[in-house]
mmCIF file of all heavy atoms in Angstrom:
data_model
loop_
_atom_site.group_PDB
_atom_site.id
_atom_site.type_symbol
_atom_site.label_atom_id
_atom_site.label_comp_id
_atom_site.label_asym_id
_atom_site.label_seq_id
_atom_site.Cartn_x
_atom_site.Cartn_y
_atom_site.Cartn_z
ATOM 1 N N GLU A 17 134.643 144.756 119.315
ATOM 2 C CA GLU A 17 134.797 143.426 118.718
ATOM 3 C C GLU A 17 136.255 143.115 118.423
ATOM 4 O O GLU A 17 136.723 142.000 118.663
ATOM 5 C CB GLU A 17 133.963 143.343 117.439
ATOM 6 C CG GLU A 17 133.901 141.956 116.810
ATOM 7 C CD GLU A 17 135.077 141.616 115.917
ATOM 8 O OE1 GLU A 17 135.838 142.554 115.542
ATOM 9 O OE2 GLU A 17 135.269 140.434 115.597
ATOM 10 N N SER A 18 136.996 144.091 117.911
ATOM 11 C CA SER A 18 138.408 143.857 117.601
ATOM 12 C C SER A 18 139.202 143.524 118.854
ATOM 13 O O SER A 18 140.085 142.654 118.834
ATOM 14 C CB SER A 18 139.003 145.097 116.920
ATOM 15 O OG SER A 18 138.481 145.273 115.627
ATOM 16 N N THR A 19 138.894 144.211 119.950
ATOM 17 C CA THR A 19 139.579 143.918 121.211
ATOM 18 C C THR A 19 139.300 142.502 121.666
ATOM 19 O O THR A 19 140.216 141.745 122.021
ATOM 20 C CB THR A 19 139.138 144.910 122.299
ATOM 21 O OG1 THR A 19 139.349 146.248 121.843
ATOM 22 C CG2 THR A 19 139.923 144.691 123.583
ATOM 23 N N VAL A 20 138.036 142.104 121.644
ATOM 24 C CA VAL A 20 137.655 140.759 122.093
ATOM 25 C C VAL A 20 138.219 139.691 121.160
ATOM 26 O O VAL A 20 138.745 138.668 121.609
ATOM 27 C CB VAL A 20 136.123 140.634 122.196
ATOM 28 C CG1 VAL A 20 135.713 139.198 122.491
ATOM 29 C CG2 VAL A 20 135.580 141.562 123.279
ATOM 30 N N GLN A 21 138.118 139.939 119.857
ATOM 31 C CA GLN A 21 138.583 138.936 118.898
ATOM 32 C C GLN A 21 140.082 138.673 119.030
ATOM 33 O O GLN A 21 140.518 137.516 119.116
ATOM 34 C CB GLN A 21 138.274 139.374 117.460
ATOM 35 C CG GLN A 21 138.689 138.336 116.436
ATOM 36 C CD GLN A 21 138.546 138.820 115.011
ATOM 37 O OE1 GLN A 21 139.315 138.422 114.127
ATOM 38 N NE2 GLN A 21 137.577 139.678 114.752
ATOM 39 N N VAL A 22 140.877 139.722 119.079
ATOM 40 C CA VAL A 22 142.331 139.532 119.155
ATOM 41 C C VAL A 22 142.732 138.973 120.520
ATOM 42 O O VAL A 22 143.636 138.142 120.617
ATOM 43 C CB VAL A 22 143.058 140.849 118.844
ATOM 44 C CG1 VAL A 22 144.566 140.682 118.998
ATOM 45 C CG2 VAL A 22 142.735 141.312 117.427
ATOM 46 N N ALA A 23 142.045 139.398 121.573
ATOM 47 C CA ALA A 23 142.340 138.841 122.907
ATOM 48 C C ALA A 23 142.033 137.347 122.935
ATOM 49 O O ALA A 23 142.779 136.561 123.538
ATOM 50 C CB ALA A 23 141.533 139.576 123.969
ATOM 51 N N GLN A 24 140.947 136.928 122.297
ATOM 52 C CA GLN A 24 140.627 135.498 122.232
ATOM 53 C C GLN A 24 141.721 134.726 121.501
ATOM 54 O O GLN A 24 142.124 133.637 121.932
ATOM 55 C CB GLN A 24 139.287 135.292 121.535
ATOM 56 C CG GLN A 24 138.079 135.634 122.371
ATOM 57 C CD GLN A 24 136.777 135.235 121.704
ATOM 58 O OE1 GLN A 24 136.759 134.558 120.682
ATOM 59 N NE2 GLN A 24 135.665 135.642 122.291
ATOM 60 N N ASP A 25 142.184 135.276 120.396
ATOM 61 C CA ASP A 25 143.273 134.613 119.672
ATOM 62 C C ASP A 25 144.519 134.533 120.546
ATOM 63 O O ASP A 25 145.239 133.528 120.538
ATOM 64 C CB ASP A 25 143.594 135.381 118.390
ATOM 65 C CG ASP A 25 142.476 135.284 117.355
ATOM 66 O OD1 ASP A 25 141.598 134.413 117.506
ATOM 67 O OD2 ASP A 25 142.488 136.099 116.405
ATOM 68 N N MET A 26 144.772 135.580 121.293
ATOM 69 C CA MET A 26 145.972 135.647 122.126
ATOM 70 C C MET A 26 145.961 134.588 123.221
ATOM 71 O O MET A 26 146.987 133.968 123.516
ATOM 72 C CB MET A 26 146.083 137.041 122.743
ATOM 73 C CG MET A 26 147.331 137.275 123.565
ATOM 74 S SD MET A 26 147.448 139.011 124.082
ATOM 75 C CE MET A 26 146.068 139.130 125.237
ATOM 76 N N ILE A 27 144.790 134.360 123.824
ATOM 77 C CA ILE A 27 144.711 133.382 124.920
ATOM 78 C C ILE A 27 144.221 132.016 124.434
ATOM 79 O O ILE A 27 144.042 131.101 125.234
ATOM 80 C CB ILE A 27 143.797 133.889 126.057
ATOM 81 C CG1 ILE A 27 142.353 134.037 125.573
ATOM 82 C CG2 ILE A 27 144.323 135.202 126.626
ATOM 83 C CD1 ILE A 27 141.377 134.439 126.679
ATOM 84 N N SER A 28 144.003 131.899 123.128
ATOM 85 C CA SER A 28 143.557 130.643 122.500
ATOM 86 C C SER A 28 142.250 130.130 123.103
ATOM 87 O O SER A 28 142.102 128.951 123.428
ATOM 88 C CB SER A 28 144.649 129.568 122.632
ATOM 89 O OG SER A 28 145.834 129.984 121.998
ATOM 90 N N LYS A 29 141.288 131.031 123.251
ATOM 91 C CA LYS A 29 139.951 130.677 123.738
ATOM 92 C C LYS A 29 138.919 131.358 122.846
ATOM 93 O O LYS A 29 138.494 132.475 123.115
ATOM 94 C CB LYS A 29 139.747 131.115 125.192
ATOM 95 C CG LYS A 29 140.533 130.328 126.220
ATOM 96 C CD LYS A 29 140.170 130.798 127.628
ATOM 97 C CE LYS A 29 140.949 130.040 128.686
ATOM 98 N NZ LYS A 29 140.576 130.499 130.058
ATOM 99 N N ARG A 30 138.533 130.693 121.800
ATOM 100 C CA ARG A 30 137.589 131.275 120.857
ATOM 101 C C ARG A 30 136.151 131.092 121.356
ATOM 102 O O ARG A 30 135.777 130.000 121.786
ATOM 103 C CB ARG A 30 137.745 130.634 119.485
ATOM 104 C CG ARG A 30 136.721 131.108 118.475
ATOM 105 C CD ARG A 30 137.073 130.687 117.069
ATOM 106 N NE ARG A 30 136.016 131.061 116.133
ATOM 107 C CZ ARG A 30 136.160 131.073 114.812
ATOM 108 N NH1 ARG A 30 137.314 130.724 114.280
ATOM 109 N NH2 ARG A 30 135.154 131.410 114.034
ATOM 110 N N ASP A 31 135.373 132.149 121.278
ATOM 111 C CA ASP A 31 133.944 132.074 121.590
ATOM 112 C C ASP A 31 133.208 133.063 120.692
ATOM 113 O O ASP A 31 133.290 134.268 120.900
ATOM 114 C CB ASP A 31 133.677 132.377 123.061
ATOM 115 C CG ASP A 31 132.229 132.095 123.432
ATOM 116 O OD1 ASP A 31 131.366 132.942 123.139
ATOM 117 O OD2 ASP A 31 131.951 131.030 124.015
ATOM 118 N N ASP A 32 132.498 132.547 119.703
ATOM 119 C CA ASP A 32 131.867 133.410 118.710
ATOM 120 C C ASP A 32 130.686 134.187 119.273
ATOM 121 O O ASP A 32 130.361 135.267 118.773
ATOM 122 C CB ASP A 32 131.411 132.579 117.510
ATOM 123 C CG ASP A 32 132.589 132.019 116.717
ATOM 124 O OD1 ASP A 32 133.711 132.547 116.886
ATOM 125 O OD2 ASP A 32 132.409 131.057 115.952
ATOM 126 N N THR A 33 130.028 133.666 120.315
ATOM 127 C CA THR A 33 128.921 134.404 120.927
ATOM 128 C C THR A 33 129.427 135.699 121.550
ATOM 129 O O THR A 33 128.801 136.761 121.409
ATOM 130 C CB THR A 33 128.218 133.550 121.999
ATOM 131 O OG1 THR A 33 127.679 132.380 121.382
ATOM 132 C CG2 THR A 33 127.085 134.328 122.653
ATOM 133 N N LEU A 34 130.563 135.632 122.235
ATOM 134 C CA LEU A 34 131.150 136.846 122.811
ATOM 135 C C LEU A 34 131.552 137.828 121.722
ATOM 136 O O LEU A 34 131.408 139.043 121.897
ATOM 137 C CB LEU A 34 132.366 136.495 123.674
ATOM 138 C CG LEU A 34 132.124 136.367 125.178
ATOM 139 C CD1 LEU A 34 131.163 135.208 125.463
ATOM 140 C CD2 LEU A 34 133.436 136.136 125.923
ATOM 141 N N ILE A 35 132.059 137.304 120.603
ATOM 142 C CA ILE A 35 132.435 138.169 119.486
ATOM 143 C C ILE A 35 131.226 138.965 119.008
ATOM 144 O O ILE A 35 131.266 140.197 118.882
ATOM 145 C CB ILE A 35 133.005 137.331 118.323
ATOM 146 C CG1 ILE A 35 134.369 136.742 118.690
ATOM 147 C CG2 ILE A 35 133.113 138.170 117.049
ATOM 148 C CD1 ILE A 35 135.490 137.732 118.737
ATOM 149 N N LYS A 36 130.136 138.265 118.733
ATOM 150 C CA LYS A 36 128.945 138.939 118.209
ATOM 151 C C LYS A 36 128.328 139.863 119.252
ATOM 152 O O LYS A 36 127.896 140.975 118.924
ATOM 153 C CB LYS A 36 127.922 137.899 117.747
ATOM 154 C CG LYS A 36 128.372 137.097 116.537
ATOM 155 C CD LYS A 36 127.308 136.110 116.101
ATOM 156 C CE LYS A 36 126.091 136.818 115.548
ATOM 157 N NZ LYS A 36 125.051 135.865 115.074
ATOM 158 N N ALA A 37 128.288 139.425 120.494
ATOM 159 C CA ALA A 37 127.696 140.259 121.551
ATOM 160 C C ALA A 37 128.464 141.555 121.723
ATOM 161 O O ALA A 37 127.876 142.632 121.907
ATOM 162 C CB ALA A 37 127.658 139.488 122.860
ATOM 163 N N SER A 38 129.785 141.479 121.641
ATOM 164 C CA SER A 38 130.616 142.665 121.868
ATOM 165 C C SER A 38 130.478 143.691 120.756
ATOM 166 O O SER A 38 130.711 144.885 120.968
ATOM 167 C CB SER A 38 132.085 142.262 122.005
ATOM 168 O OG SER A 38 132.604 141.756 120.775
ATOM 169 N N THR A 39 130.084 143.252 119.580
ATOM 170 C CA THR A 39 130.049 144.130 118.409
ATOM 171 C C THR A 39 129.148 145.339 118.621
ATOM 172 O O THR A 39 129.460 146.454 118.183
ATOM 173 C CB THR A 39 129.576 143.326 117.171
ATOM 174 O OG1 THR A 39 130.480 142.240 116.950
ATOM 175 C CG2 THR A 39 129.531 144.194 115.930
ATOM 176 N N ILE A 40 128.047 145.158 119.321
ATOM 177 C CA ILE A 40 127.068 146.228 119.489
ATOM 178 C C ILE A 40 127.531 147.305 120.478
ATOM 179 O O ILE A 40 126.941 148.383 120.565
ATOM 180 C CB ILE A 40 125.709 145.637 119.941
ATOM 181 C CG1 ILE A 40 124.562 146.601 119.618
ATOM 182 C CG2 ILE A 40 125.737 145.259 121.419
ATOM 183 C CD1 ILE A 40 123.192 145.985 119.775
ATOM 184 N N LEU A 41 128.612 147.046 121.199
ATOM 185 C CA LEU A 41 129.102 147.996 122.198
ATOM 186 C C LEU A 41 130.105 148.999 121.629
ATOM 187 O O LEU A 41 130.588 149.867 122.356
ATOM 188 C CB LEU A 41 129.758 147.237 123.363
ATOM 189 C CG LEU A 41 128.897 146.161 124.035
ATOM 190 C CD1 LEU A 41 129.673 145.511 125.186
ATOM 191 C CD2 LEU A 41 127.588 146.744 124.550
ATOM 192 N N ALA A 42 130.403 148.902 120.340
ATOM 193 C CA ALA A 42 131.409 149.779 119.728
ATOM 194 C C ALA A 42 130.991 151.238 119.792
ATOM 195 O O ALA A 42 129.811 151.574 119.770
ATOM 196 C CB ALA A 42 131.636 149.373 118.282
ATOM 197 N N GLY A 43 131.987 152.105 119.876
ATOM 198 C CA GLY A 43 131.719 153.541 119.887
ATOM 199 C C GLY A 43 130.993 154.010 121.128
ATOM 200 O O GLY A 43 130.349 155.056 121.126
ATOM 201 N N GLY A 44 131.114 153.257 122.197
ATOM 202 C CA GLY A 44 130.480 153.672 123.452
ATOM 203 C C GLY A 44 129.004 153.372 123.512
ATOM 204 O O GLY A 44 128.182 154.277 123.634
ATOM 205 N N MET A 45 128.619 152.097 123.365
ATOM 206 C CA MET A 45 127.224 151.640 123.404
ATOM 207 C C MET A 45 126.467 152.096 122.161
ATOM 208 O O MET A 45 125.824 153.142 122.146
ATOM 209 C CB MET A 45 126.470 152.131 124.652
ATOM 210 C CG MET A 45 127.167 151.892 125.978
ATOM 211 S SD MET A 45 127.358 150.144 126.386
ATOM 212 C CE MET A 45 129.138 150.012 126.291
ATOM 213 N N VAL A 46 126.584 151.329 121.098
ATOM 214 C CA VAL A 46 125.917 151.624 119.819
ATOM 215 C C VAL A 46 126.307 153.032 119.341
ATOM 216 O O VAL A 46 125.456 153.852 118.997
ATOM 217 C CB VAL A 46 124.386 151.486 119.917
ATOM 218 C CG1 VAL A 46 123.796 151.295 118.515
ATOM 219 C CG2 VAL A 46 123.953 150.338 120.809
ATOM 220 N N ALA A 47 127.597 153.306 119.359
ATOM 221 C CA ALA A 47 128.142 154.579 118.860
ATOM 222 C C ALA A 47 127.590 155.791 119.583
ATOM 223 O O ALA A 47 127.503 156.875 119.020
ATOM 224 C CB ALA A 47 127.888 154.705 117.356
ATOM 225 N N SER A 48 127.259 155.626 120.873
ATOM 226 C CA SER A 48 126.649 156.713 121.637
ATOM 227 C C SER A 48 127.642 157.521 122.460
ATOM 228 O O SER A 48 127.257 158.442 123.176
ATOM 229 C CB SER A 48 125.560 156.160 122.558
ATOM 230 O OG SER A 48 124.505 155.605 121.809
ATOM 231 N N GLY A 49 128.922 157.154 122.412
ATOM 232 C CA GLY A 49 129.948 157.946 123.077
ATOM 233 C C GLY A 49 130.201 157.634 124.525
ATOM 234 O O GLY A 49 130.971 158.337 125.182
ATOM 235 N N SER A 50 129.597 156.580 125.061
ATOM 236 C CA SER A 50 129.818 156.219 126.467
ATOM 237 C C SER A 50 131.163 155.489 126.587
ATOM 238 O O SER A 50 132.099 155.800 125.853
ATOM 239 C CB SER A 50 128.653 155.384 126.983
ATOM 240 O OG SER A 50 128.775 155.161 128.375
ATOM 241 N N THR A 51 131.270 154.518 127.474
ATOM 242 C CA THR A 51 132.555 153.860 127.708
ATOM 243 C C THR A 51 133.119 153.261 126.424
ATOM 244 O O THR A 51 132.435 152.524 125.708
ATOM 245 C CB THR A 51 132.413 152.761 128.774
ATOM 246 O OG1 THR A 51 131.925 153.341 129.979
ATOM 247 C CG2 THR A 51 133.755 152.112 129.061
ATOM 248 N N CYS A 52 134.365 153.590 126.142
ATOM 249 C CA CYS A 52 135.069 153.174 124.930
ATOM 250 C C CYS A 52 134.971 151.667 124.702
ATOM 251 O O CYS A 52 135.091 150.865 125.641
ATOM 252 C CB CYS A 52 136.532 153.595 125.059
ATOM 253 S SG CYS A 52 137.622 152.884 123.833
ATOM 254 N N GLY A 53 134.792 151.280 123.440
ATOM 255 C CA GLY A 53 134.708 149.872 123.113
ATOM 256 C C GLY A 53 135.959 149.092 123.455
ATOM 257 O O GLY A 53 135.891 147.896 123.756
ATOM 258 N N VAL A 54 137.110 149.732 123.438
ATOM 259 C CA VAL A 54 138.349 149.046 123.830
ATOM 260 C C VAL A 54 138.328 148.736 125.322
ATOM 261 O O VAL A 54 138.835 147.703 125.760
ATOM 262 C CB VAL A 54 139.582 149.895 123.472
ATOM 263 C CG1 VAL A 54 140.866 149.195 123.899
ATOM 264 C CG2 VAL A 54 139.620 150.181 121.975
ATOM 265 N N VAL A 55 137.696 149.600 126.103
ATOM 266 C CA VAL A 55 137.594 149.367 127.549
ATOM 267 C C VAL A 55 136.628 148.226 127.836
ATOM 268 O O VAL A 55 136.947 147.299 128.586
ATOM 269 C CB VAL A 55 137.160 150.655 128.281
ATOM 270 C CG1 VAL A 55 136.948 150.386 129.767
ATOM 271 C CG2 VAL A 55 138.209 151.746 128.095
ATOM 272 N N VAL A 56 135.425 148.274 127.243
ATOM 273 C CA VAL A 56 134.454 147.200 127.519
ATOM 274 C C VAL A 56 134.918 145.892 126.886
ATOM 275 O O VAL A 56 134.723 144.809 127.463
ATOM 276 C CB VAL A 56 133.040 147.576 127.034
ATOM 277 C CG1 VAL A 56 132.500 148.741 127.828
ATOM 278 C CG2 VAL A 56 132.989 147.885 125.550
ATOM 279 N N GLY A 57 135.541 145.966 125.713
ATOM 280 C CA GLY A 57 136.067 144.754 125.094
ATOM 281 C C GLY A 57 137.182 144.140 125.919
ATOM 282 O O GLY A 57 137.277 142.916 126.045
ATOM 283 N N GLY A 58 138.022 144.984 126.507
ATOM 284 C CA GLY A 58 139.072 144.481 127.385
ATOM 285 C C GLY A 58 138.506 143.852 128.640
ATOM 286 O O GLY A 58 139.016 142.829 129.121
#
């Protein structure tokens, strides 16, 4: 979520649905250790 949120601010394209959707992917898919949230958020 932090990656998506700050990237949105950076490109001036806010979308709250993407913010909320991305939140569940933290820690590698619900904290499961898979692909890093910074990677999927990017």
Side-chain angles (χ1 to χ4, degrees):
E17 187 276 345
S18 291
T19 305
V20 173
Q21 182 187 148
V22 177
Q24 285 188 9
D25 291 345
M26 184 173 68
I27 64 176
S28 300
K29 289 184 181 181
R30 175 168 175 165
D31 189 280
D32 292 342
T33 299
L34 263 63
I35 291 288
K36 293 181 68 178
S38 67
T39 301
I40 202 169
L41 306 181
M45 310 295 113
V46 200
S48 296
S50 187
T51 302
C52 168
V54 179
V55 176
V56 294

